[in-house]
Amino acid sequence: YGSVPGIPTSKQPPPPAGSCTATMSNPTPSDFSDDTVNVSSNVPNAPVTVTKHYKTTTSYDSGTTDGGGSASIAFDISSATVGYTVQVVINVNNGEATCSTSFTPA
């Protein structure tokens, strides 16, 4: 008989996309110091990958958001190039949410 007139056949709307924001604890760290990226997302208890795009290399760190969707991931900036802005890209739950921030070694 096919579809019945007057009854919608649309699917359920997709779930809302994940979102996140990120900030650096210290936007201008000194060489060979530690820095921390603070992540706030709407994706709780999920894996987080941090990709840092230095001038001559790319490095990765990881963590997990807590029940509220937040994570703080510390890392050593090693001998990062002074004055070169390092882009920091955060990926939550394998791409469900992405955001970015940066820091510039001083």
Side-chain angles (χ1 to χ4, degrees), residues 22-104:
T23 57
M24 298 304 303
S25 289
N26 183 354
T28 55
S30 58
D31 255 6
F32 298 101
S33 66
D34 290 340
D35 205 349
T36 301
V37 61
N38 297 300
V39 179
S40 177
S41 79
N42 64 351
V43 186
N45 306 308
V48 177
T49 302
V50 178
T51 305
K52 302 177 301 287
H53 297 279
Y54 292 96
K55 186 171 185 176
T56 59
T57 189
T58 299
S59 68
Y60 305 90
D61 285 286
S62 60
T64 305
T65 59
D66 63 17
S70 297
S72 292
I73 299 167
F75 55 89
D76 183 343
I77 72 165
S78 192
S79 59
T81 304
V82 171
Y84 180 84
T85 299
V86 177
Q87 295 299 319
V88 180
V89 179
I90 294 84
N91 183 320
V92 180
N93 204 27
N94 302 312
E96 185 174 342
T98 58
C99 50
S100 63
T101 185
S102 64
F103 66 90
T104 305

